Amino acid sequence: MKVKASYLPYLLILPAFAYLMFFVGYPLIQALYLAFTENGAFSLATVNRTISDPRFWDALKYTIGLAAVIVPTQVGLALVLALVMNRAFKGKDLALYALIIPLTISDVAAGLIWYAMLSPSGFLNKLFLNIGLIDNPVYFFGYQFRHMEFLAIVLAELWRATAIVFVIILAGLQMISPEYLEAAEVFGADYWTKLRKIVIPLLKPSIQSALIIRTLFAMQVFGIVWILAGRDIPILAGEGFYQLTEIKDYGVASIYALTIAALSIVLGAMYIKFMKAEYLEVKE
């Protein structure tokens, strides 16, 4: 059967459009319905019930706080690692595999690993006690040690998810033509000048992609926080899960989900708006 050429683009995007409508569009409409209706009529009662609960604001604060600490740290670490791994040295392949291994581990498994390491009788406390660095175990878990729980979550997330940022930035680095750097050397540019004037500007699209992906994941963080801190440190995804499974309040759970979606869309749009590489901008 011959397809008219003008219809071909629409036919090609049809499967993706159908996928998005079924797996994103329908749940989104259902969440909006649950959040903004009561007994079949429009109502803000569920919204008022949610925002009058202090745990909603605590969850919002901790979700944004974790993302604000974890995402920039991961980008900085990944950039340094990518610059190192972009050089040729003995054992580079082995080091690359070692860096990427945490990427293959689920967040729940990563949470269990770090819980075992940081518990009072865990590996880290035993090591520090044996070498005489501490006299008593350091407590990372428990409501009275919430600041340490926060630290444990940050460490676990840095260990588990820096690899995905690293892979994106390393791929971007390897796409930069050596001719640019060689030309800069001819004009006497040192390492830091080349990094500041050539490498970082050309890496902007990769850093932008890494920031968008990592921030979206940070807004949805759940498994590691749930394993290491439970509800001691409330987060949006965790509180939404609790409302859905324990309280059975589907409307409030929907508002938590919609808040995560709204944050993700706003932050993604900001990255696209403010981090676009200058050389990709259309000059009018």
Side-chain angles (χ1 to χ4, degrees):
M1 190 176 81
K2 200 169 182 179
V3 179
K4 198 173 177 181
S6 59
Y7 294 153
L8 188 58
Y10 301 104
L11 288 174
L12 291 175
I13 66 168
L14 188 60
F17 181 74
Y19 174 87
L20 288 173
M21 284 303 296
F22 187 76
F23 288 105
V24 179
Y26 175 71
L28 182 61
I29 292 169
Q30 189 68 16
L32 288 169
Y33 178 79
L34 290 170
F36 295 103
T37 62
E38 194 168 83
N39 299 324
F42 176 77
S43 170
L44 293 176
T46 309
V47 177
N48 293 332
R49 194 165 68 249
T50 305
I51 62 176
S52 62
D53 184 355
R55 288 200 70 88
F56 172 78
W57 298 107
D58 281 346
L60 186 63
K61 179 183 74 176
Y62 277 113
T63 302
I64 293 175
L66 283 169
V69 173
I70 291 168
V71 175
T73 308
Q74 283 182 329
V75 172
L77 276 174
L79 180 60
V80 172
L81 289 171
L83 288 169
V84 172
M85 296 303 295
N86 199 37
R87 295 166 174 263
F89 61 88
K90 195 173 180 181
K92 178 180 172 179
D93 289 344
L94 184 63
L96 194 59
Y97 292 139
L99 284 171
I100 294 175
I101 281 175
L103 195 59
T104 64
I105 297 173
S106 72
D107 53 351
V108 173
L112 291 171
I113 289 170
W114 279 87
Y115 185 84
M117 283 178 62
L118 299 177
S119 64
S121 58
F123 165 76
L124 203 64
N125 272 309
K126 282 183 179 174
L127 176 67
F128 288 163
L129 285 168
N130 287 334
I131 63 177
L133 203 61
I134 55 176
D135 296 324
N136 296 299
V138 178
Y139 289 91
F140 281 89
F141 306 115
Y143 187 81
Q144 64 272 40
F145 304 113
R146 283 203 294 176
H147 61 291
M148 297 299 282
E149 286 181 333
F150 190 94
L151 177 63
I153 292 165
V154 169
L155 290 173
E157 275 289 292
L158 290 178
W159 175 77
R160 185 189 69 85
T162 300
I164 190 169
V165 184
F166 162 73
V167 168
I168 295 170
I169 293 180
L170 181 62
L173 266 179
Q174 292 179 343
M175 290 178 67
I176 296 175
S177 171
E179 293 175 0
Y180 295 133
L181 304 176
E182 290 166 4
E185 285 175 7
V186 170
F187 288 99
D190 59 14
Y191 176 80
W192 296 109
T193 305
K194 287 186 288 183
L195 183 66
R196 201 158 43 87
K197 299 289 186 181
I198 299 174
V199 175
I200 298 295
L202 291 176
L203 267 182
K204 264 192 175 181
S206 300
I207 294 174
Q208 183 191 61
S209 301
L211 277 171
I212 291 173
I213 291 171
R214 194 57 200 94
T215 303
L216 296 187
F217 287 156
M219 291 297 109
Q220 303 164 20
V221 65
F222 174 66
I224 282 184
V225 180
W226 208 249
I227 294 288
L228 295 179
R231 293 186 75 209
D232 293 348
I233 292 185
I235 47 165
L236 291 171
E239 290 304 303
F241 174 77
Y242 180 79
Q243 292 288 336
L244 185 70
T245 59
E246 299 294 330
I247 309 298
K248 308 292 184 189
D249 192 332
Y250 302 122
V252 173
S254 297
I255 290 176
Y256 277 103
L258 290 170
T259 305
I260 294 171
L263 281 173
S264 302
I265 291 169
V266 169
L267 291 172
M270 286 174 63
Y271 287 141
I272 292 170
K273 172 74 176 172
F274 296 111
M275 290 206 63
K276 189 171 184 180
E278 290 180 8
Y279 68 92
L280 291 177
E281 291 180 355
V282 177
K283 304 290 183 186
E284 295 183 356

